[in-house]
Amino acid sequence: MPAYRKLGSIPPKRHVAHSHKPGYRGEGIYYEEVVTTAGFGRAYGIAYHLRPPTRVRKVEAAGTVALDIVSEPSLRHHHLRTGPMKAAGDPVTGRMPLLVNDDVALLRCRPAKPQAELYRNAAADEVLFIHAGKGTLQTMFGVLPFRPFDYVVVPHCTTYRIEFDPGLQPDLLIVEASNNIVLPPRYLNPDGQVKLGAPYSERDFHGPNETLVVDREQDTTVLIKDGQRLTRYTLASHPFDVVGWDGMVYPYTFNADDFEPITGTVHQPPPIHQTFEATGFVLCTFAPRMLDTHPDAIKVPYAHSNVQADEVLYYVRGHFGSRRGVEEASITLHPRGIPHGPHPGTIVASRSATRTDELAVMVDTVRPLELTRQAIEMEDPDYPYSWME
Ligand SMILES: [Fe+2]
């Protein structure tokens, strides 16, 4: 969870009246909403609304998000070329699920139009990786600016609207986590502070920087997703009517280029790239870095059979030293139990290199991932044989 933060107007103690005259219906207060995680067991925040946040005028079924899983007859590597993907839908409706299990789903989205209505994921934390685009995430916590290569972490149940600046085609990788996205506990000292030596510090995490108080007594719809089910709620007033909040549950950004890589004289294993985790998977950042300095170092990863883990790489930017044939926005899935490693020629080609400019996002899952029909439609069928080239 991110560090404690407060913004706007809050009263001196929890659960006491926060005076607001005359206030909704003349009641003289702002209305407290406690936002918790894991029931009441973990991080929480407290927000203060102009009106009670519970005033629902209408609840309507809004269909489902189809998940067309393809049963794979064989265990093999996959390479999905998502670069040519056409723009479609909006930042919510345009999401294309590609790889899923019960803990995590990876989706791609290249929206063609602005977000049509407010959205809330009731069953997942979302990480919106901004491959391209710049703009703001608007929530009851205020305005959160984002830029290319930001991870925008959105906790469960945060109603939001993503607004992109005009002029650039936005491009997103979305990671839906059934559990809470947290910083790896080994990066934290017993006092909860990010340790010296971790690949980032509190200064690299950015929360909303200004409140967004929409005082509007007007029907406002919110599309709520819980699993595959969609529900449309019509609220009697705009939910972004929060004058202040504090706590440790709020959306925040971390930019992949702020990741401080850890390097060695010889190759270091993938956990050094770890950025976030949630039950069932880890998320890592392969950031531009110095390569290994031992005179005989092999500067690309060794072959390995990821035992008890499925390994997904999303290639973002730069030259990928150990892979041939992948391009920007390629996704590789190296499932458990079969070896993969550097492509032929890449060991020799990397000998004289002193650094790598690659930027990639890795998701390693505990449970096997399944592919959707859309993923199979984008795949390079020859990839399993690409080590023979
Ligand atoms: Fe690997």
Side-chain angles (χ1 to χ4, degrees):
M1 294 299 172
Y4 174 84
R5 189 174 178 90
K6 65 179 173 180
L7 194 65
S9 169
I10 57 173
K13 283 183 74 67
R14 296 175 290 193
H15 323 318
V16 300
H18 186 10
S19 178
H20 174 222
K21 299 288 189 296
Y24 173 71
R25 289 188 171 172
E27 291 183 333
I29 56 166
Y30 294 109
Y31 294 86
E32 186 181 48
E33 180 185 3
V34 179
V35 181
T36 67
T37 51
F40 289 85
R42 294 195 54 169
Y44 67 92
I46 303 179
Y48 294 87
H49 293 266
L50 293 176
R51 300 175 179 82
T54 43
R55 298 165 59 236
V56 179
R57 205 181 284 290
K58 199 192 290 181
V59 178
E60 301 166 280
T64 57
V65 178
L67 214 46
D68 193 355
I69 302 294
V70 174
S71 170
E72 279 289 293
S74 55
L75 177 69
R76 63 185 177 89
H77 298 312
H78 295 272
H79 172 202
L80 317 178
R81 292 186 191 278
T82 77
M85 194 176 82
K86 290 193 172 58
D90 77 13
V92 172
T93 62
R95 296 179 183 188
M96 184 183 290
L98 297 175
L99 300 167
V100 296
N101 68 20
D102 287 344
D103 301 313
V104 62
L106 282 89
L107 307 91
R108 288 276 287 123
C109 183
R110 194 168 280 161
K113 53 190 180 187
Q115 187 174 328
E117 62 186 334
L118 297 176
Y119 173 70
R120 173 182 177 101
N121 196 327
D125 274 18
E126 293 184 356
V127 180
L128 314 174
F129 178 74
I130 310 295
H131 191 155
K134 189 168 175 288
T136 54
L137 182 85
Q138 298 159 9
T139 72
M140 74 171 185
F141 300 97
V143 180
L144 178 65
F146 61 77
R147 60 192 169 102
F149 316 120
D150 267 349
Y151 296 102
V152 184
V153 180
V154 187
H156 277 65
C157 300
T158 304
T159 301
Y160 69 81
R161 175 182 157 74
I162 314 171
E163 196 162 291
F164 290 97
D165 294 352
L168 190 66
Q169 172 61 57
D171 200 6
L172 308 175
L173 171 73
I174 295 145
V175 180
E176 277 190 359
S178 304
N179 296 289
N180 304 110
I181 294 281
V182 297
L183 306 189
R186 70 177 189 280
Y187 290 167
L188 305 177
N189 65 29
D191 304 300
Q193 188 178 19
V194 177
K195 283 179 182 170
L196 295 168
Y200 43 57
S201 78
E202 283 84 356
R203 298 182 195 183
D204 298 315
F205 293 87
H206 307 281
N209 57 7
E210 54 179 297
T211 55
L212 174 66
V213 188
V214 182
D215 181 4
R216 194 182 297 157
E217 179 74 13
Q218 181 182 310
D219 285 4
T220 306
T221 64
V222 179
L223 187 66
I224 301 179
K225 178 174 186 277
D226 68 312
Q228 294 184 42
R229 179 171 58 183
L230 294 171
T231 308
R232 180 166 290 106
Y233 266 63
T234 303
L235 307 178
S237 57
H238 201 287
F240 299 169
D241 64 344
V242 166
V243 297
W245 58 269
D246 76 339
M248 292 173 64
V249 179
Y250 55 87
Y252 62 92
T253 62
F254 170 72
N255 194 275
D257 283 325
D258 286 331
F259 191 88
E260 292 296 331
I262 295 163
T263 57
T265 61
V266 295
H267 185 72
Q268 300 297 298
I272 57 139
H273 304 286
Q274 192 180 347
T275 310
F276 299 113
E277 69 182 49
T279 304
F281 75 97
V282 296
L283 191 155
C284 303
T285 304
F286 286 74
R289 61 192 180 278
M290 295 302 291
L291 287 170
D292 320 320
T293 52
H294 188 285
D296 295 325
I298 292 180
K299 298 176 182 174
V300 291
Y302 35 73
H304 64 113
S305 300
N306 8 303
V307 178
Q308 298 169 306
D310 277 13
E311 180 187 302
V312 179
L313 267 168
Y314 177 71
Y315 301 84
V316 179
R317 192 185 70 203
H319 170 72
F320 306 104
S322 64
R323 292 267 97 78
R324 291 195 330 211
V326 299
E327 55 205 18
E328 273 197 19
S330 279
I331 293 175
T332 54
L333 167 61
H334 298 136
R336 63 204 56 218
I338 46 175
H340 67 279
H343 271 126
T346 56
I347 292 176
V348 172
S350 68
R351 263 184 202 149
S352 60
T354 55
R355 52 178 296 117
T356 169
D357 62 350
E358 71 184 14
L359 178 64
V361 175
M362 186 172 88
V363 172
D364 256 18
T365 68
V366 174
R367 294 197 259 194
L369 287 161
E370 294 187 291
L371 289 94
T372 63
R373 178 185 49 76
Q374 295 99 320
I376 295 292
E377 285 171 1
M378 293 182 183
E379 105 159 315
D380 165 9
D382 296 327
Y383 184 65
Y385 313 112
S386 58
W387 285 266
M388 293 296 292
E389 289 165 5

